[in-house]
PDB file of all heavy atoms in Angstrom:
ATOM      1  N   LEU J 276     121.425 -25.828 146.916  1.00  0.00           N
ATOM      2  CA  LEU J 276     121.174 -26.747 145.809  1.00  0.00           C
ATOM      3  C   LEU J 276     120.589 -28.014 146.410  1.00  0.00           C
ATOM      4  O   LEU J 276     121.214 -28.633 147.268  1.00  0.00           O
ATOM      5  CB  LEU J 276     122.468 -27.070 145.059  1.00  0.00           C
ATOM      6  CG  LEU J 276     123.154 -25.911 144.350  1.00  0.00           C
ATOM      7  CD1 LEU J 276     124.496 -26.356 143.799  1.00  0.00           C
ATOM      8  CD2 LEU J 276     122.283 -25.369 143.246  1.00  0.00           C
ATOM      9  N   ILE J 284     127.762 -20.940 136.530  1.00  0.00           N
ATOM     10  CA  ILE J 284     127.813 -19.514 136.236  1.00  0.00           C
ATOM     11  C   ILE J 284     129.078 -19.255 135.440  1.00  0.00           C
ATOM     12  O   ILE J 284     130.179 -19.577 135.900  1.00  0.00           O
ATOM     13  CB  ILE J 284     127.848 -18.650 137.522  1.00  0.00           C
ATOM     14  CG1 ILE J 284     126.700 -19.006 138.473  1.00  0.00           C
ATOM     15  CG2 ILE J 284     127.871 -17.170 137.186  1.00  0.00           C
ATOM     16  CD1 ILE J 284     125.335 -18.627 137.988  1.00  0.00           C
ATOM     17  N   ALA J 286     131.108 -16.117 133.614  1.00  0.00           N
ATOM     18  CA  ALA J 286     131.119 -14.658 133.528  1.00  0.00           C
ATOM     19  C   ALA J 286     132.424 -14.175 132.909  1.00  0.00           C
ATOM     20  O   ALA J 286     133.500 -14.699 133.210  1.00  0.00           O
ATOM     21  CB  ALA J 286     130.955 -14.058 134.921  1.00  0.00           C
ATOM     22  N   GLY J 296     119.304 -17.680 146.492  1.00  0.00           N
ATOM     23  CA  GLY J 296     118.146 -18.551 146.525  1.00  0.00           C
ATOM     24  C   GLY J 296     118.424 -20.033 146.464  1.00  0.00           C
ATOM     25  O   GLY J 296     119.561 -20.484 146.483  1.00  0.00           O
ATOM     26  N   VAL J 306     127.788 -40.415 132.611  1.00  0.00           N
ATOM     27  CA  VAL J 306     127.506 -41.420 131.586  1.00  0.00           C
ATOM     28  C   VAL J 306     128.813 -42.120 131.228  1.00  0.00           C
ATOM     29  O   VAL J 306     129.762 -41.478 130.773  1.00  0.00           O
ATOM     30  CB  VAL J 306     126.897 -40.773 130.320  1.00  0.00           C
ATOM     31  CG1 VAL J 306     126.667 -41.811 129.242  1.00  0.00           C
ATOM     32  CG2 VAL J 306     125.615 -40.036 130.662  1.00  0.00           C
ATOM     33  N   ASP J 312     132.530 -45.681 121.757  1.00  0.00           N
ATOM     34  CA  ASP J 312     132.908 -44.296 122.089  1.00  0.00           C
ATOM     35  C   ASP J 312     134.417 -44.153 122.229  1.00  0.00           C
ATOM     36  O   ASP J 312     134.977 -43.098 121.959  1.00  0.00           O
ATOM     37  CB  ASP J 312     132.255 -43.850 123.404  1.00  0.00           C
ATOM     38  CG  ASP J 312     130.757 -43.672 123.305  1.00  0.00           C
ATOM     39  OD1 ASP J 312     130.265 -43.353 122.211  1.00  0.00           O
ATOM     40  OD2 ASP J 312     130.081 -43.852 124.341  1.00  0.00           O
ATOM     41  N   SER J 317     136.078 -42.970 116.763  1.00  0.00           N
ATOM     42  CA  SER J 317     135.091 -42.158 117.471  1.00  0.00           C
ATOM     43  C   SER J 317     135.489 -40.679 117.478  1.00  0.00           C
ATOM     44  O   SER J 317     136.663 -40.329 117.518  1.00  0.00           O
ATOM     45  CB  SER J 317     134.968 -42.655 118.910  1.00  0.00           C
ATOM     46  OG  SER J 317     134.181 -41.774 119.670  1.00  0.00           O
ATOM     47  N   SER J 318     134.477 -39.809 117.453  1.00  0.00           N
ATOM     48  CA  SER J 318     134.729 -38.365 117.521  1.00  0.00           C
ATOM     49  C   SER J 318     134.799 -37.871 118.967  1.00  0.00           C
ATOM     50  O   SER J 318     134.954 -36.673 119.207  1.00  0.00           O
ATOM     51  CB  SER J 318     133.636 -37.609 116.774  1.00  0.00           C
ATOM     52  OG  SER J 318     132.381 -37.832 117.403  1.00  0.00           O
ATOM     53  N   VAL J 319     134.699 -38.777 119.931  1.00  0.00           N
ATOM     54  CA  VAL J 319     134.795 -38.402 121.349  1.00  0.00           C
ATOM     55  C   VAL J 319     136.209 -37.902 121.620  1.00  0.00           C
ATOM     56  O   VAL J 319     137.184 -38.538 121.223  1.00  0.00           O
ATOM     57  CB  VAL J 319     134.454 -39.622 122.246  1.00  0.00           C
ATOM     58  CG1 VAL J 319     134.695 -39.298 123.710  1.00  0.00           C
ATOM     59  CG2 VAL J 319     133.016 -40.060 122.022  1.00  0.00           C
ATOM     60  N   GLU J 321     139.844 -37.134 123.163  1.00  0.00           N
ATOM     61  CA  GLU J 321     140.782 -38.062 123.800  1.00  0.00           C
ATOM     62  C   GLU J 321     140.723 -38.007 125.327  1.00  0.00           C
ATOM     63  O   GLU J 321     140.787 -39.037 125.991  1.00  0.00           O
ATOM     64  CB  GLU J 321     142.208 -37.774 123.307  1.00  0.00           C
ATOM     65  CG  GLU J 321     143.209 -38.843 123.692  1.00  0.00           C
ATOM     66  CD  GLU J 321     142.940 -40.200 123.029  1.00  0.00           C
ATOM     67  OE1 GLU J 321     142.348 -40.238 121.935  1.00  0.00           O
ATOM     68  OE2 GLU J 321     143.318 -41.217 123.626  1.00  0.00           O
ATOM     69  N   GLY J 327     136.981 -42.161 130.576  1.00  0.00           N
ATOM     70  CA  GLY J 327     136.022 -43.251 130.520  1.00  0.00           C
ATOM     71  C   GLY J 327     134.579 -42.868 130.780  1.00  0.00           C
ATOM     72  O   GLY J 327     133.691 -43.709 130.770  1.00  0.00           O
ATOM     73  N   TYR J 328     134.323 -41.598 131.014  1.00  0.00           N
ATOM     74  CA  TYR J 328     132.945 -41.148 131.228  1.00  0.00           C
ATOM     75  C   TYR J 328     132.830 -39.684 130.839  1.00  0.00           C
ATOM     76  O   TYR J 328     133.817 -38.976 130.651  1.00  0.00           O
ATOM     77  CB  TYR J 328     132.503 -41.352 132.681  1.00  0.00           C
ATOM     78  CG  TYR J 328     133.297 -40.546 133.684  1.00  0.00           C
ATOM     79  CD1 TYR J 328     132.905 -39.268 134.042  1.00  0.00           C
ATOM     80  CD2 TYR J 328     134.447 -41.057 134.278  1.00  0.00           C
ATOM     81  CE1 TYR J 328     133.631 -38.517 134.954  1.00  0.00           C
ATOM     82  CE2 TYR J 328     135.173 -40.332 135.192  1.00  0.00           C
ATOM     83  CZ  TYR J 328     134.762 -39.062 135.524  1.00  0.00           C
ATOM     84  OH  TYR J 328     135.480 -38.324 136.423  1.00  0.00           O
ATOM     85  N   ASN J 332     124.123 -33.072 130.576  1.00  0.00           N
ATOM     86  CA  ASN J 332     123.263 -32.090 131.224  1.00  0.00           C
ATOM     87  C   ASN J 332     121.821 -32.581 131.169  1.00  0.00           C
ATOM     88  O   ASN J 332     121.260 -32.787 130.110  1.00  0.00           O
ATOM     89  CB  ASN J 332     123.386 -30.730 130.536  1.00  0.00           C
ATOM     90  CG  ASN J 332     122.626 -29.646 131.264  1.00  0.00           C
ATOM     91  OD1 ASN J 332     121.809 -29.910 132.135  1.00  0.00           O
ATOM     92  ND2 ASN J 332     122.888 -28.410 130.906  1.00  0.00           N
ATOM     93  N   ALA J 336     120.976 -25.605 135.850  1.00  0.00           N
ATOM     94  CA  ALA J 336     120.782 -24.172 135.622  1.00  0.00           C
ATOM     95  C   ALA J 336     122.113 -23.578 135.163  1.00  0.00           C
ATOM     96  O   ALA J 336     123.097 -23.635 135.892  1.00  0.00           O
ATOM     97  CB  ALA J 336     120.303 -23.490 136.896  1.00  0.00           C
ATOM     98  N   GLY J 344     129.452  -5.912 133.616  1.00  0.00           N
ATOM     99  CA  GLY J 344     128.316  -5.296 134.270  1.00  0.00           C
ATOM    100  C   GLY J 344     128.007  -6.023 135.573  1.00  0.00           C
ATOM    101  O   GLY J 344     128.727  -6.930 135.973  1.00  0.00           O
ATOM    102  N   GLU J 345     126.923  -5.612 136.218  1.00  0.00           N
ATOM    103  CA  GLU J 345     126.494  -6.240 137.466  1.00  0.00           C
ATOM    104  C   GLU J 345     125.200  -7.003 137.200  1.00  0.00           C
ATOM    105  O   GLU J 345     124.271  -6.467 136.601  1.00  0.00           O
ATOM    106  CB  GLU J 345     126.287  -5.193 138.547  1.00  0.00           C
ATOM    107  CG  GLU J 345     127.576  -4.537 138.989  1.00  0.00           C
ATOM    108  CD  GLU J 345     127.396  -3.599 140.160  1.00  0.00           C
ATOM    109  OE1 GLU J 345     126.403  -3.760 140.918  1.00  0.00           O
ATOM    110  OE2 GLU J 345     128.233  -2.720 140.326  1.00  0.00           O
TER     111      GLU J 345
END
Side-chain angles (χ1 to χ4, degrees):
L276 296 173
I284 307 291
V306 177
D312 291 331
S317 171
S318 63
V319 174
E321 191 65 27
Y328 63 90
N332 186 347
E345 292 186 23

